[in-house]
Amino acid sequence: MFSATATSLDSREPEFKAVVLALPDDNMYPLTERQSMPKALLPIANKPMLWYVLQWLEQGGIIDIKVVTTREAESEILNYIEVYKGISNVTVKCVNEAHGTADALRQLAPQIKSDVIVVPCDLIIDVPTTQFLDIFRMRRPAIAAVFFETMRSEGGGGSTKADNSLPIVGIDQPSSRLVFIHDIENDDTKESARMPVMLKATRIKEEIEIPMDLVRKFPSMAVSGKMQDSHVYVLQRWVLDYILANLEITSLQADLLPLFVSAQCNSGLCEEKGILKHMRAYKGRRVDKDTDVRFGLADGTASDGIDSNDPLKVFAYVRRGGIVGRADQISRYCDLNSIVTKISVGRRVDASAKLAQQTQVGMDSMIGASTQLDERCLVKRSVVGANCVIGKNVNIINSVIMDHVTIGDGVDVVSCVVCKLAKIGNKVQLRDCEIGATATISDDVNLKGVAVPGGSGFSDDEGIQTEFV
């Protein structure tokens, strides 16, 4: 059910347009190799991860959605959008080479006339869209971002562990303004009068210094090193113009957000960086004063709708608890598969799947359509895709098996991801591995902590790996 507030004030233009970023991600190798599929179509609980993002946007009444991707992934994503069953108008936009999220958004900016919500394709979130958007509607910040406390791992999977480096963020509790952000891996803080703050009970073992004038201005600021940026941002339209004019901004997270957070408490920086100029130009073009009143922009502000004492605002919506995560690393992708499978309300085993005698599938697992499991198989904390053929005495634990995978007899697959069309021989032992699409693992192979490229073969003959062209 959609909130009534989601209705656009201008029937000719939606209140929000959504941009879903479905760009390449090196962290997901070999799952997203050429032989496999675009990242946006990787399955989570046997649905493409893009499905969850589109559903989340539609539930908030956002039905004008652009999916941004590259030329290599365009056709496959287009094919999925054609069969996607939703209420939104989804279009796929191919962008030229983009080094960052702001680069991709810059190429779309001329086509966007309204405020925009930017979402990564790998997001799973249980926050109702309207809760987040209503803050933006009422407060009208330049940028609103979603942060969340990282969820406890379900055990992960694959050959690499999650990189848990997180920024230090300061949020003014009464107003929900994001007033401080510090990347501990890129400390370029300028020398100034500061207050040292030791963050206890976190993984941070160093002192973070916060300017004293910021502490005086926001005495109720809460500082945390446990918040992860979801990469969900709502931007006022003039911010797109600012990105267009400033080519040095390549990333929303690394460049734009820290700049605006700093500039909102520094009027000189706000003027120096041309932020106020873009705000004034945009406000001057807004002739609908009734709209300004409804959004609280006219009351107590200058004639251009800008509060001269506090012109720039950045807000943060913080989600504590619940289900929020990104499949931006293989271990997190495995975690989200496990979590979403557990909370799914549909059938755990598809009606067309065939399970032989003495085969057990846990309530924390899922079996896709037309998949066959032979005798004495065990599936726990795992997702098995469609049209797979699983032999006898196979144990699949804490793993993701994609579509059309063949597994021989007597195989153990523990904390692994096996991509589509892979073939695994008899008596193979796999632990903490990624097996690329169409890869072949010969009989009696024992692998641990290995990423096997797509299209390759791995035999037990002195561990020889061959590449099939």
Side-chain angles (χ1 to χ4, degrees), residues 5-10 13-19 57 60-66 112-118 129-130 132-138 140-141 144 233-237 295:
T5 57
T7 304
S8 173
L9 297 177
D10 185 352
E13 187 70 30
E15 182 187 5
F16 295 101
K17 283 194 177 182
V19 174
L57 291 168
I62 299 174
I63 57 175
D64 194 335
I65 303 172
K66 290 185 181 294
I112 299 175
K113 307 302 180 184
S114 60
D115 297 336
V116 60
I117 177 170
V118 183
T129 323
T130 51
F132 173 51
L133 293 179
D134 283 347
I135 293 179
F136 184 85
R137 292 182 176 106
M138 292 185 293
R140 293 297 291 170
Y233 309 109
V234 183
L235 314 175
Q236 285 199 44
R237 177 59 186 81
F295 285 132

Side-chain angles (χ1 to χ4, degrees), residues 142-355:
I143 304 175
V146 175
F147 284 81
F148 63 94
E149 289 186 341
T150 54
M151 296 184 298
R152 181 179 178 180
S153 175
E154 294 289 311
S159 61
T160 58
K161 300 300 181 183
D163 177 7
N164 292 319
S165 59
L166 301 174
I168 311 303
V169 298
I171 298 173
D172 181 51
Q173 296 183 87
S175 65
S176 296
R177 288 181 68 169
L178 178 63
V179 297
F180 180 80
I181 187 165
H182 174 82
D183 184 352
I184 62 173
E185 293 186 341
N186 184 25
D187 188 355
D188 57 357
T189 307
K190 295 181 180 179
E191 292 294 329
S192 62
R194 302 169 182 156
M195 179 189 75
V197 176
M198 177 63 78
L199 297 178
K200 299 180 180 179
T202 73
R203 87 249 180 273
I204 300 167
K205 299 180 180 179
E206 61 177 291
E207 289 188 349
I208 303 300
E209 296 182 331
I210 299 176
M212 282 300 300
D213 57 351
L214 187 65
V215 177
R216 285 191 288 267
K217 184 172 183 179
F218 300 102
S220 298
M221 174 177 55
V223 181
S224 173
K226 296 182 178 181
M227 296 294 176
Q228 184 172 344
D229 186 349
S230 70
H231 289 221
V232 176
Y233 309 109
V234 183
L235 314 175
Q236 285 199 44
R237 177 59 186 81
W238 67 265
V239 178
L240 297 185
D241 292 332
Y242 186 81
I243 293 172
L244 271 172
N246 292 270
L247 301 182
E248 70 277 9
I249 296 176
T250 62
S251 167
L252 297 180
Q253 180 198 37
D255 300 325
L256 185 70
L257 189 63
L259 172 61
F260 275 43
V261 168
S262 298
Q264 70 178 332
C265 301
N266 186 333
S267 58
L269 182 62
C270 204
E271 192 74 59
E272 174 191 343
K273 294 295 185 178
I275 297 172
L276 279 177
K277 179 183 73 174
H278 280 85
M279 292 179 70
R280 294 189 184 109
Y282 181 67
K283 299 297 182 183
R285 293 197 301 267
R286 295 186 65 174
V287 297
D288 186 353
K289 299 302 181 183
D290 290 336
T291 299
D292 287 345
V293 171
R294 288 187 65 177
F295 285 132
L297 295 174
D299 186 21
T301 62
S303 58
D304 58 5
I306 299 174
D307 184 347
S308 58
N309 296 320
D310 194 11
L312 183 66
K313 298 181 179 67
V314 179
F315 281 79
Y317 181 100
V318 177
R319 177 61 168 171
R320 294 181 173 88
I323 298 172
V324 186
R326 290 189 60 209
D328 55 350
Q329 298 178 41
I330 291 177
S331 59
R332 291 175 181 163
Y333 168 73
C334 294
D335 279 340
L336 286 174
N337 263 282
S338 179
I339 291 168
V340 175
T341 298
K342 285 181 179 179
I343 64 174
S344 295
V345 295
R347 295 181 64 104
R348 301 287 175 174
V349 178
D350 190 88
S352 61
K354 295 181 180 179
L355 277 61

